[in-house]
Each structure stands twice: as C-alpha cells, then as structure tokens.
C-alpha cells in the first residue's frame, strides 16, 4: 500500500507522539532553566534511570508473555535488605549481624539476585504449572516477600554500609558511575537474551499466541518459569543498586516501583496483550518517565501535581500505542 | 391460515470470494418438523443465520403466515416469534439458569424511580418454563454445572418462553448422549403437538427418519428439493446431498506408497465422547485422507496423536518403534508435524514476523555454542522456504498478519518442513483459502508425497478428500467406521455412508 507523504508524517507523529512531546518538554525545560543541561544533572538523571531500567527490563519479559509482576517492588525491598545486612560496617552500632565481617560486594549482589530468583521461580511454577493468572500469582508473592522481609529485618531500617558498597553508586569508571555501567550491562545482556537465544524467541512466541506455541513444540512451562526467575533476579539486583545509592535500605525500598516499571514498559511500546516489546522500549519508557519527573520539577510544578501529569502521560501514551495495532486489523 | 407458516424465497448470500447461498428457498408447513440437510458447507447454517438475522442476506424474502417480514437482527427475529437453538450454545456458564433464560429481557419492578430486577418473578417464571419442557432443576443452579443436554433444554425453554412459533435447531444432537437425544425428541414432539413449527438441522439419518415430517436438501449453497420424509430412503437422501460432478482441480500424481511409517493402534481419548479405539497405518509417500462430518472427532484424534489432547490408551509406532508422545515436542522429535485446523487460534503468531513464525520450531536446532541462535543459517532456511513455496511477501521480516490466508498457510507449512518431519498431519489444509492458493497447496502436498513424506489430510470438503487422497479413513462419532483403499470405491456416497454410521 502506497502512502502519501502527508500520511507518513501523520503516522510518524502518532506512533512517536509521546517521545516527540517529551523531547519538546526537555528542550523547553533546558532553555528556560539555566542548570538543566549540565553534566551533573544529566548524570543524576542517568543514575535515577539505572535501577529503574533494570526493574523495567525484568518486568518487560513478563509483560511480553502477556503477564505482569506485582511482586517486583517488594522483591526490590528484599534485595536491598539482603544486600544491606551483608554489607554493614563492622564498627556500626546497629549492625544486623554484629560479628560478621562484611562480604565482597559482588558476592552480595549475586546472593541478593539468587535469593530473589528463588522466589521468582516459585511464582513462575504457580503460573506455568498450576495456571494461576500472573496477576494473582505475583500478588501472592508480593505479600509473602513483604512479610518475610519484615520478619527478617524486624521492620528496622538498615544503614552504616561499608565504603565499597556506597562506592557502587558514587564510584566512577571512565567518568560514568558504576550504577550506570551496571544498567548498561544488564541492558546488553537482556538484548542478547531477547534476540539471540531461543529463550527470547520462545518468550515472544508465548506472548503472541500461547496455543500456537504449544503446538509448535515450544517448552511453554519452563520458559515461563525462567522468565519469572530471571525477572526476580533483576529485582534483587535493582534492590542492591538502590541500597548503594541511598546508603541505606528498608523493606519499604522499591515500594510501588513495579507499577512505574509496567507503565514505563508500555509507554515505550511493550504491549500488555503480549508478543511485542524490545529492550529499547524499556529504555525509552524509563527515560520518558524520569525526564518527565525532572522536567516538571525544574519547571516548578507542584510535587503533588506531578502525579497527575504522569497519569495523563500514561493515558495518552497507551491510547496511542494501542491505536497502532487496532489500525492494522 | 396460510399454507405455510414460514417461507424463504430466493435467498442469496455472498461472503468475500464465496457464494454461500444462491437462490435458496424453504417452505415450512405449520406444526411440522422440517429437516434441513446437506453436506458440511452446503449452506444450512448460513441460511438459518440469515433467517434469524445474524447475517444480512444480499437478496431474498421472508414470509411469516403469508406476510412479508424484515429481519435485521436476532432481536427482530424473536419479536416475530422465531427462535434459534444454536449449534454451539452461547450461554453464560457462570450465571444461573434463570439469568440465562432471561438474559437481555430481565423482568423488572419499579421501586420509586429505580428500576430493579424482579428476581422472584424471574425464578418463578423460569421454573414454569422448565416444567414446560419437562425439565426439573433449580432455576438458581449455575448453568455451567449442567450437562450439555440440560443446557440445551434451557435454550429450548428460552425459545418456548418467548412464545416462539418457529424454532430452529442447528445440529442440536451433535454433542448429546442417547438419553439426552430421547429427551430432546420428547420435547420436540410436544412442541409439535402445540403447533410449533421447527427446523431441524442434523446429519444423523436415523434421527431424521424418526422426527422429521419434511426434508429439504441443500448442496453447495443451492436448493435441491423438498420431499415428505416418508418418501425418501436414507440412500436417496445421501444421493441428493452429494449428487454433483467433481470439478477437476486436483493435480495428478503417481502415488507409489512405500513401507509403513506410522502405525496407530487402538488409540482412545480420555473423554468417552471423543475418539475411541482408533487404529490405522500410514505409508511413506501416501496421502491418507480422513473424512467425516463435523464433530466426528478427527481433529481431536490428530491432536491426541500429537500430544495436545489427553490419550487414555493405545499406542503410536513410528518406523516400527513405539513412541511415547506426551507433548508436542515429543511428537516433533518422533518426526511428526501438525498443521492445525484453526490457523488463527493455534497456528500463526499474528504479531510476529514470517521469520519467527517459521523459526519457532527450529530455534532449538540451530545454535552456536549451544546458546546463540545461528541467525545466518535460520535466515537461509526461511529464505529458501519462502522461495520454494512461493510465499508472496516483501521480506521475511514482514508480520504474518499482513499476509493472505493462503500465504499464512504456506508459512505454517514452511515451519513444519523446516523441521523435516516424516509424517505431516494437515487438518483442513485449505480452509478459508481462495481457489488459486488452494491449488498451490495441493501441488505442495503432492510434491511432498512424491519426496517420500507421508501426509494425513483431514478434510470436510468431499471433493478435496476424493481428489487428493490415495486412501480414505472415515470417522463417525469418535470411531473409525470405514477405510476405503480401492480407487474405484472412492465415491461420495460411500464416504457419506461411513460418515453417518452412528
């Protein structure tokens, strides 16, 4: 079908509407406030984006299979607490394990990921083998993880981290914070999984048409379990990252981030009906979200009103996104 | 009183590419059961849907009691006293019997300015109407807890409660047990005594002989004739249903079936009303046709072999070795491929590219270092099959949803060929495909057979079955009722007689 140039322009504007509006908003903010386009501010935004991106990339896998993951926020809290208790200074008065030497940071990150992954595997098992809808299964896991986190920490906030841990956020390599490097590596690995492995292809197939996937010999159940396991590991990592950035953590760390991550994914073009979505979708979605927050801040919009603005952006973004697919029928 | 309760005259209806009804007529005498007969796709259901206002007919007139009427939607049909008991029931299983009966027309009462549903009246009335059809169960029972037969009586009670004067039964007995059929016939006889006129669509000859007063036969969307039921024998009815010349659209092929590739022994479903005790063999290089009426459980049998549906007992042998198939992947590893009947439902991945649609079943075969997909190799396989099956597409990255039905089917065939199976099961391979593409699919099938692949083809199109198959197995009601292997015996009448051997 040949399309006129006018139509093409119109399609482009509609298909990328939110991103274009975002750009305009960012440029406007930059021009009206004098310290928006500074390397310091840019680095700040990227730091904020980094853990959000890791969460969004985890949740993207679930959303692509037409699922979701409500347990993400609480898993982040658990990951942050596990990292916290293992990385407190030996001389810190409120130390959780008073006599334990702090472990190596990399080892701690892996421990946090592994523990969260174990919980994710359980969620995946219920979804894949017992056909519990993802919404409900992850809701149940959200409660369990939160409860266990409270019992484990006694609901007290953690602090007094070793320098190596806070350095994960503050330290730099090639002028870029480690936190951002972690996000970049996670994005590359996720891209690789989505595009270069059969697991990724199976994920898209299950999201596109689970019945057809079954008939085509796709191991639907194991793939689903892997997706929820992998996602949970990423929440654990995000918890580790957030703890490093804040220099402290509690079970409340990451609360509500799952909703923002799902919203970011959909804004970027991950379809909640399944089968569609890329790593770039999650990056765009998270970028839009964070830039919007910062820009509104710079423009002096009331902090409470920012929530309203974010809600409106979600409404518009998703309506435009859905429109692309409806038009194709 | 008019001679006919209801008359349809000159009904025409076209769907894109198909003339489904061509100048069809139907005349119902008051207070009779009128059987409407014909093969699958003869246009029976389409005609009834036109009468009921589900489809809008292109031309034709409807007369009720000699008066011309307009029916634009089911609501209008019901206002004229026409009701339909659907082939596939469309109830709301999670709600009560009464709510289903009164769906869309709940009795209401006014409390001040607020309109509320009058539950008391609804339950009382439902009980009354259920008694009317000799059924005795709780109106508050959840519909989903009832048997199919009971649900059907709820549908009939609904028709009766609407004071219907004409009731259409579209294959009501296809999923009923014998007892339930008896109960249905009692209700129908009862309604007839009360002067209700009924249209009865069924393939079951013995039922027709028992219940029908008149018979109208349709074939390929045209009207063949109407006769009093008593005047026609079963054989005569079959002859009238199938009596047409076959057009020679099927490419010629020399078939030289080789050794036995697959053997199925006494395969039975876990459901007693599905396939039972089915045995057959399949040879290299042959096309084995599976004939039967809709509901004969052919699809279920094939999905059972492929590991999609549960199998209670029986064995499958490939090349003389017994294979255990629990899941589709087991069947694939054993060298079996399945192109399903419902292309949209469990065939294509609509939102994925042609490449991914073909590649999905081979992604675990082409890996570098056991992890990384060998995209180069996969691309060349996909590219080759696009060329080989002449799939019309700008590129392999095109979304499959943008292709025509015929090309989508070729993509699915490519998917299985990429897996190189010995046995390819094709369930209604040309359904919903235009004539030109059909011919291409037939040529692909012949090509595959001559390369030594064994093909099982389920087809409800009689001419396709006779034109393509080297041998035909016929199923009826879950059982294999006949096998035809002599070319001279492959006639429509013979297939139909096996297909109706209930």
């Amino acid at each position: 079908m040949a399309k006129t140039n006018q139509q093409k322009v119109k399609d482009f504007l509609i298909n990328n509407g939110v991103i274009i509006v975002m750009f305009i908003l960012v440029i406007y903010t930059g021009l009206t406030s004098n310290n928006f386009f500074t390397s310091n501010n840019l680095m700040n935004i990227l730091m904020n984006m980094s853990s959000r991106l890791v969460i969004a990339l985890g949740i993207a896998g679930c959303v692509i299979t037409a699922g979701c993951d409500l347990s993400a926020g609480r898993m982040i809290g658990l990951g942050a607490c596990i990292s916290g208790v293992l990385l407190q200074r030996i001389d810190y008065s409120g130390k959780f394990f008073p006599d334990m030497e702090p472990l190596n940071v990399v080892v701690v990150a892996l421990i946090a990921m592994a523990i969260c992954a174990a919980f994710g595997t359980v969620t995946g098992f219920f979804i894949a083998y017992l056909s519990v809808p993802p919404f409900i299964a992850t809701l149940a896991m959200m409660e369990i993880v939160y409860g266990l986190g409270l019992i484990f920490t006694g609901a007290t906030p953690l602090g007094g981290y070793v320098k190596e841990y806070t350095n994960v956020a503050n330290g730099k390599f090639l002028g870029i914070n480690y936190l951002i490097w972690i996000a970049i590596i996670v994005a590359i690995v996720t891209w690789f999984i989505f595009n270069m492995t059969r697991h990724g292809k199976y994920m898209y197939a299950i999201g596109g048409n689970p019945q057809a996937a079954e008939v085509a010999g796709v191991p639907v159940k194991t793939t689903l379990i892997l997706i929820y396991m992998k996602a949970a590991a990423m929440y654990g990592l995000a918890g580790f990252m957030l703890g490093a950035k804040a220099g402290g953590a509690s079970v409340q760390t990451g609360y509500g981030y799952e909703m923002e991550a799902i919203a970011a994914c959909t804004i970027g073009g991950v379809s909640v009906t399944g089968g569609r979505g890329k790593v770039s979708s999650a990056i765009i979605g998270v970028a839009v979200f964070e830039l919007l927050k910062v820009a509104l801040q710079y423009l002096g919009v009331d902090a409470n009103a920012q929530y309203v603005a974010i809600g409106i952006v979600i409404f518009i973004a998703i309506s435009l996104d859905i429109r692309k697919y409806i038009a194709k029928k | 009183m008019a001679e006919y309760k209801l008359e349809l005259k000159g009904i025409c209806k076209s769907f894109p590419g198909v003339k489904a009804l061509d100048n069809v007529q139907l005349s119902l005498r008051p207070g009779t059961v009128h059987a409407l007969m014909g093969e699958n796709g003869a246009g029976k259901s389409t005609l009834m849907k036109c009468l009921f206002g589900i489809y809008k007919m292109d031309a034709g007139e409807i007369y009720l009691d000699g008066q011309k009427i307009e029916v634009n939607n089911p609501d209008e049909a019901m206002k004229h006293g026409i009701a339909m008991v659907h082939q596939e029931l469309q109830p709301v299983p999670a709600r009560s019997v009464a709510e289903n009966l009164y769906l869309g027309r709940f009795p209401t009462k006014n409390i001040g300015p607020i309109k509320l549903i009058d539950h008391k009246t609804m339950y009382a009335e439902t009980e009354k109407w259920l008694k009317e059809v000799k059924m005795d169960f709780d109106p508050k029972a959840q519909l989903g807890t009832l048997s199919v037969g009971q649900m059907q009586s709820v549908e009939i009670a609904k028709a009766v409660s609407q004071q219907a004067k004409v009731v259409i039964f579209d294959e009501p007995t296809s999923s009923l047990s014998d007892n339930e059929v008896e109960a249905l016939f009692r209700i129908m006889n009862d309604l007839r005594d009360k002067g209700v006129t009924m249209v009865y669509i069924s393939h079951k000859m013995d039922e027709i002989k028992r219940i029908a007063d008149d018979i109208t036969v349709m074939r390929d969307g045209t009207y063949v004739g109407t006769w009093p039921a008593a005047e026609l024998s079963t054989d005569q009815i079959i002859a009238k249903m199938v009596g047409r010349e076959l057009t020679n659209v099927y490419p010629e092929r020399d078939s030289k079936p080789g050794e036995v590739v697959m053997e199925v022994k006494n395969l039975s479903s876990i459901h007693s009303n599905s396939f039972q005790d089915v045995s057959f063999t399949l040879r290299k290089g042959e096309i084995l046709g599976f004939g039967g009426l809709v509901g004969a459980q052919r699809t279920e049998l094939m999905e059972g072999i492929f590991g999609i549906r549960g199998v209670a007992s029986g064995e499958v042998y490939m090349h003389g070795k017994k294979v255990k198939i629990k899941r589709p992947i087991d069947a694939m590893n054993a060298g079996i491929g399945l192109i399903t009947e419902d292309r949209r439902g469990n065939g294509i991945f609509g939102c994925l590219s042609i490449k991914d649609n073909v590649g999905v079943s081979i992604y675990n075969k082409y890996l570098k270092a056991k992890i990384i997909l060998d995209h180069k190799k996969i691309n060349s396989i996909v590219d080759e099959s696009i060329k080989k099956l002449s799939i019309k597409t700008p590129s392999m990255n095109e979304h499959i949803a943008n292709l025509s039905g015929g090309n989508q089917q070729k993509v699915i065939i490519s998917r299985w060929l990429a897996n190189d199976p010995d046995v390819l099961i094709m369930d209604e391979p040309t359904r919903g495909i235009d004539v030109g593409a059909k011919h291409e699919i037939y040529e692909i099938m012949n090509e595959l057979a001559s390369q030594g692949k064994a093909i099982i083809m389920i087809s409800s199109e009689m001419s396709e079955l006779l034109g393509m198959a080297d041998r035909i197995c016929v199923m009826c009601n879950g059982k294999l009722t006949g096998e035809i292997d002599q070319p001279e015996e492959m006639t429509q009448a013979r297939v139909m007689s096996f297909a109706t051997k209930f």
Side-chain angles (χ1 to χ4, degrees):
Chain A
M1 248 186 293
K3 282 184 175 172
T4 62
N5 278 339
Q6 205 185 346
Q7 258 177 323
K8 274 185 193 162
V9 171
K10 197 179 148 197
D11 281 356
F12 178 81
L13 287 179
I14 287 175
N15 291 348
N16 302 291
V18 174
I19 298 165
I20 294 165
V21 172
M22 220 44 247
F23 256 105
I24 294 168
L25 181 69
V26 165
I27 290 167
Y28 176 78
T29 314
L31 294 178
T32 49
S33 41
N34 39 21
N35 54 351
F36 186 76
F37 284 128
T38 56
S39 64
N40 211 349
N41 190 38
L42 187 72
M43 210 47 91
N44 227 335
I45 294 172
L46 286 177
M47 290 269 278
N48 283 335
M49 271 179 67
S50 59
S51 53
R52 301 297 185 135
L53 180 63
V54 173
I55 302 162
L57 287 171
I59 238 164
C62 308
V63 178
I64 288 170
T65 56
C68 68
D69 198 339
L70 301 181
S71 67
R74 293 309 189 187
M75 291 256 200
I76 294 161
L78 184 72
C81 289
I82 292 167
S83 311
V85 296
L86 297 175
L87 290 168
Q88 284 172 314
R89 286 194 308 270
I90 195 86
D91 57 352
Y92 181 62
S93 60
K95 189 161 162 48
F96 191 80
F97 294 125
D99 301 322
M100 197 185 75
E101 283 289 328
L103 301 175
N104 176 292
V105 269
V106 178
V107 172
V108 170
L110 292 176
I111 291 173
M113 288 171 76
I115 292 174
C116 286
F119 285 110
T121 310
V122 174
T123 319
F125 174 81
F126 277 91
I127 292 165
Y129 280 91
L130 301 174
S131 306
V132 179
F135 187 86
I136 302 299
T138 57
L139 179 79
M141 189 48 81
M142 171 182 94
E143 301 290 353
I144 291 172
V145 168
Y146 180 50
L148 289 177
L150 283 173
I151 295 167
F152 175 57
T153 62
T156 43
L158 302 160
Y161 293 163
V162 294
K163 205 169 141 273
E164 288 82 2
Y165 187 24
T166 47
N167 205 31
V168 170
N170 304 326
K172 290 185 181 184
F173 174 68
L174 298 178
I176 293 170
N177 295 58
Y178 289 123
L179 222 50
I180 298 164
W181 282 114
I182 295 176
I184 290 170
I185 291 165
V186 169
I188 291 170
V189 170
T190 309
W191 180 88
F192 183 83
I193 293 172
F194 280 15
N195 296 289
M196 301 304 287
T197 69
R198 67 202 135 143
H199 170 77
K201 293 292 182 182
Y202 290 162
M203 176 184 76
Y204 285 111
I206 293 168
N209 186 343
Q211 282 85 23
E214 188 83 52
V215 174
V218 171
V220 176
K221 293 185 167 76
T222 34
T223 305
L224 279 175
I225 290 183
L226 270 176
I227 286 168
Y228 283 90
M229 186 189 89
K230 192 182 71 194
M234 287 158 85
Y235 311 144
L237 179 62
F240 169 84
M241 292 163 75
L242 283 167
K245 187 159 172 284
S250 78
V251 261
Q252 303 298 342
T253 301
Y255 174 62
Y257 284 19
E258 69 279 354
M259 290 302 171
E260 281 190 23
I262 293 172
C265 283
T266 41
I267 286 174
V270 181
S271 162
V272 280
T273 51
R276 291 191 186 91
K278 299 175 189 161
V279 168
S280 60
S281 316
I283 296 175
I284 290 169
V286 170
V288 167
F289 235 99
E290 290 302 319
L291 287 172
L292 182 69
K293 279 190 216 161
V294 179
L296 291 175
Q297 230 169 350
Y298 267 80
L299 292 175
V301 176
D302 173 51
N304 299 332
Q306 287 179 17
Y307 289 104
V308 180
I310 289 169
I312 292 169
V313 167
I314 294 174
F315 260 131
I316 296 169
I318 308 306
S319 311
L320 288 177
D321 191 55
I322 296 280
R323 199 185 161 283
K324 284 186 234 171
Y325 306 121
I326 292 174
K328 273 189 182 158
K329 275 185 186 166
Chain B
M1 201 176 185
E3 187 191 354
Y4 294 115
K5 178 72 191 169
L6 185 85
E7 273 187 286
L8 301 177
K9 285 181 185 169
I11 310 285
C12 295
K13 172 76 191 167
S14 293
F15 293 111
V18 199
K19 186 139 202 184
L21 294 175
D22 187 6
N23 202 16
V24 178
Q25 63 185 77
L26 183 70
S27 307
L28 310 177
R29 292 188 292 134
T32 59
V33 175
H34 196 115
L36 186 56
M37 306 208 60
E39 285 185 90
N40 299 326
K44 306 173 302 263
S45 291
T46 311
L47 181 67
M48 289 303 107
K49 282 177 180 167
C50 285
L51 168 60
F52 198 56
I54 295 172
Y55 292 155
K56 193 167 165 46
M57 52 199 186
D58 303 334
E61 288 157 351
I62 302 173
Y63 293 89
L64 185 71
D65 293 321
Q67 299 285 315
K68 191 173 173 204
I69 58 165
E70 290 276 336
V71 180
N72 294 316
N73 54 49
D75 204 37
E76 285 183 25
M78 282 189 260
K79 289 207 175 88
H80 286 299
I82 303 167
M84 186 159 173
V85 177
H86 289 271
Q87 187 171 359
E88 285 119 22
L89 300 170
Q90 295 162 327
V92 188
R95 304 306 302 172
S96 72
V97 170
E99 277 179 64
N100 272 279
L101 206 85
Y102 281 99
L103 193 65
R105 53 190 185 105
F106 294 119
T108 54
K109 57 182 175 191
N110 288 321
I111 295 187
I114 309 164
K115 214 177 207 183
L116 290 179
I117 289 176
D118 186 353
H119 283 94
K120 212 170 131 197
T121 312
M122 185 168 79
Y123 290 128
E125 289 287 300
T126 303
E127 202 154 0
K128 189 183 104 193
W129 294 121
L130 287 174
K131 282 219 178 76
E132 193 85 354
V133 295
K134 308 271 182 298
M135 283 291 147
D136 177 32
F137 40 79
D138 186 4
K140 290 179 188 169
Q142 196 183 318
L143 194 77
T145 61
L146 305 181
S147 73
V148 179
Q150 286 172 320
M151 280 197 229
Q152 202 159 50
S153 6
V154 174
E155 287 280 307
I156 297 168
K158 187 173 180 176
V160 175
S161 74
Q162 288 160 323
Q163 311 288 334
K165 292 285 168 255
V166 178
V167 182
I168 305 158
F169 292 90
D170 191 354
E171 297 209 43
T173 59
S174 56
S175 47
L176 296 191
S177 67
D178 289 349
N179 283 337
E180 289 172 327
V181 172
E182 290 306 317
L184 174 69
F185 281 7
R186 270 202 299 279
I187 297 170
M188 287 179 73
N189 279 323
D190 222 44
L191 291 175
R192 174 159 51 190
D193 293 343
K194 286 176 185 152
V196 176
T197 306
M198 284 163 279
V199 179
Y200 186 74
I201 300 178
S202 175
H203 290 292
K204 302 184 184 176
M205 294 295 166
D206 54 331
E207 289 180 2
I208 300 295
K209 300 297 286 181
R210 275 186 58 194
I211 196 85
D213 299 300
D214 298 322
I215 296 176
T216 289
V217 176
M218 289 176 68
R219 187 199 308 145
D220 293 339
T222 59
Y223 172 78
V224 176
T226 302
W227 298 271
E231 283 180 17
L232 290 183
S233 70
T234 304
D235 288 343
Q236 281 172 309
I237 298 173
I238 291 177
K240 289 186 192 308
M241 278 163 63
V242 300
R244 98 193 117 178
E245 292 298 311
L246 283 184
T247 41
N248 193 21
V249 294
Y250 303 99
E252 290 292 317
R253 175 172 62 92
D254 281 335
S255 92
K256 297 185 208 71
E259 76 268 22
V260 171
V261 186
M262 182 165 94
E263 192 173 2
V264 173
K265 275 189 187 164
N266 312 101
L267 208 65
S268 293
S269 162
I270 50 171
H271 300 292
S272 61
N273 56 358
S274 189
F275 58 91
Q276 294 298 326
D277 198 23
V278 176
S279 304
F280 66 91
T281 57
L282 180 66
R283 291 172 178 282
K284 199 174 168 181
E286 93 174 323
I287 298 178
L288 173 62
F290 262 79
L293 301 166
V294 170
Q297 305 296 318
R298 294 167 297 169
T299 295
E300 289 75 3
L301 169 67
M302 295 311 158
E303 294 188 349
I305 292 172
F306 200 68
I308 301 173
R309 286 175 193 262
V311 170
S313 62
E315 291 115 42
V316 178
Y317 294 84
M318 290 293 290
H319 304 289
K321 275 202 212 84
K322 188 173 163 180
V323 286
K324 266 212 151 113
I325 298 172
K326 292 240 178 265
R327 294 179 306 156
I329 188 83
D330 303 332
M332 288 162 65
N333 290 336
I336 307 172
L338 171 69
I339 294 168
T340 55
E341 175 186 19
D342 184 3
R343 191 163 53 242
R344 211 172 274 273
N346 55 11
I348 62 166
F349 300 95
C351 59
L352 301 185
S353 65
I354 292 173
K355 179 187 164 181
D356 283 336
N357 268 281
V358 174
V360 65
S361 66
I362 53 166
Y363 280 138
N364 57 350
K365 283 192 176 169
Y366 298 98
L367 298 170
K368 286 188 282 196
K370 292 199 172 161
I371 301 176
I372 310 167
L373 290 173
D374 190 347
H375 278 294
K376 211 169 142 194
K377 179 87 189 151
I378 293 163
N379 284 350
S380 78
I381 291 172
V382 175
D383 214 31
E384 197 183 313
S385 49
I386 288 176
K387 284 203 192 90
K388 215 159 117 191
L389 303 190
S390 51
I391 297 168
K392 288 179 199 74
T393 172
S395 95
M396 69 171 80
N397 295 318
E398 186 74 17
H399 277 196
I400 193 171
N402 298 341
L403 303 186
S404 69
N407 280 304
Q408 289 182 356
Q409 189 71 321
K410 287 195 230 166
V411 171
I412 307 279
I413 295 175
S414 306
R415 175 193 299 169
W416 291 109
L417 294 187
N419 225 353
D420 195 29
D422 300 325
V423 174
L424 187 59
I425 304 171
M426 305 173 92
D427 194 351
E428 305 283 358
T430 62
R431 173 168 288 177
I433 290 176
D434 63 78
V435 182
K438 265 187 184 180
H439 195 83
E440 288 181 73
I441 303 263
Y442 295 144
E443 279 182 335
I444 292 166
M445 289 169 69
N446 279 345
E447 170 75 22
L448 291 173
S450 58
Q451 284 168 10
K453 303 250 186 258
I455 296 176
I456 295 176
M457 176 189 70
I458 296 182
S459 177
S460 293
E461 255 184 75
M462 187 65 82
S463 56
E464 180 175 279
L465 197 63
L466 297 171
M468 289 301 296
D470 301 317
R471 194 154 59 91
I472 298 173
C473 288
V474 187
M475 286 182 73
C476 176
N477 208 14
K479 291 183 189 71
L480 200 64
T481 47
E483 192 185 320
I484 311 169
D485 51 8
Q486 297 303 317
E488 60 273 13
E489 284 182 15
M490 284 192 201
T491 62
Q492 309 182 47
R494 195 151 165 82
V495 172
M496 274 312 267
S497 71
F498 281 132
T500 52
K501 219 163 137 186
F502 281 92

